[in-house]
Amino acid sequence: MAKKVYVGLSGGVDSSVTATLLKQQGYDVTGVYMKNWSQDIPGYPCPWKEDFQDAKRVAVQLDIPFKMFDFEKQYHDKVVDYMIDGFKAGITPNPDIMCNQEIKFKLFLDTALENGADLIATGHYARANQGQLLTAKDANKDQTYFLYRVSEKALTKTLFPIGDYTKPEVRKLAKQFSLATAAKKESMGICFVGKVGIKEFLQQYVKTKPGKIISQDGKLLGEHDGAIFYTIGQRHGLDVGGGLPYYVTGKSMDQNEVYVTSDLNDNKLWQKSFQISSLHWINQPPTPGQKLQVRTRHRAPLEECQIEFIGSRATIKLTSQLRALTPGQSAVLYDGSHVLGGGVII
RNA sequence: UGGGGAGUGGCCAAGUGGUAAGGCACCAGUUUUUGGUACUGGCAUUCGGGGGUUCGAAUCCCUCCUCCCCAG
């Protein structure tokens, strides 16, 4: 009896190829569209209907059963609220990491199992092996940064067929299979929500006031439209001209002030160690003092580091300075191609 | 209303007779399943206003306006 796999079909190329590969490999495949968000933001109509249609088309092409799981409420509670609360608190949260943790590899997994699935699969560029998370073949597209909070248990029930291919290969396969989504453009922006800028999105939920932009030497440079919109290292959107570009080094939510510097080497922008909390380890916690690598933003190169634990937190010590480490964003630890887990920068 | 200095696109800023550098910002695009970064492209027929000299002026002359500094 072939194993039953529920594949998350987003309506994009990657998940389409995922489903196709699994079917070829002899699995009993069911395609599932997760409806997590359907609201329009002014100027940015929500693409969920087109995505749903594309997912359905692929399911029809492959002649596999197709379902829709409606997770809108849970997505809003677990991901959207988390994101808005984080921004309100002055940090820069990463909603897509939360989405993987709470929705795709918890709710979707559980729902699929309840529906009789043996396994789930997604179109992530990553590899899972016996409960371990490994980086993708295509280092350029590797998405393990977004997956470090997934549980070992979930990984034992997850397939990432795409992880063994490069993006160009996936594109080629999609073409070979004549998938309806073969030529679809990469989707970007907050997972599921569409191409909305974070600012436009937040403005739907938060009222903001103008505040001061203050330079490294205490000078008032201008006004911003709300400290909540700015994040560490950010250059654009300040509307301050005159000479050199300015980068955000910090902000005060209480004062509604944004602090910037025009000095690229400003020590506020560079750190050689930092702390993380909300630790999550997929298998075992790493060993203090062990030589590891860390990634502090998606697609950033891996940096050598060591970890030290302090209660429920940990300190990451780097061998070179990293730019604009941002509270709320995640630091993910690797031992070569093995993803260990990580935590949230504080 | 005495003296000195300055006015170039939203900002900073080259250019002192030969037909408007550059940077920042902004906009668009690329990269990217968060935010951010980075990269590419676009962006003054015009140099505070008005006259004049000249084949030709942002650059010279006259005049008006504005700002800054020192005097008072």
Side-chain angles (χ1 to χ4, degrees), chain A residues 229-238 246-249 260 269 323-324:
Chain A
F229 299 125
Y230 299 87
T231 191
I232 311 300
Q234 180 171 343
R235 166 177 177 170
H236 296 287
L238 293 161
Y246 286 93
Y247 295 89
V248 175
T249 57
V260 301
L269 277 177
R323 184 181 177 279

Side-chain angles (χ1 to χ4, degrees), chain A residues 293-312:
Chain A
Q293 298 84 47
V294 67
R295 176 172 280 150
T296 52
R297 43 173 54 86
H298 179 46
R299 284 176 57 81
L302 291 173
E303 300 287 337
E304 276 187 39
C305 75
Q306 295 187 0
I307 188 169
E308 275 176 21
F309 293 96
I310 311 164
S312 64

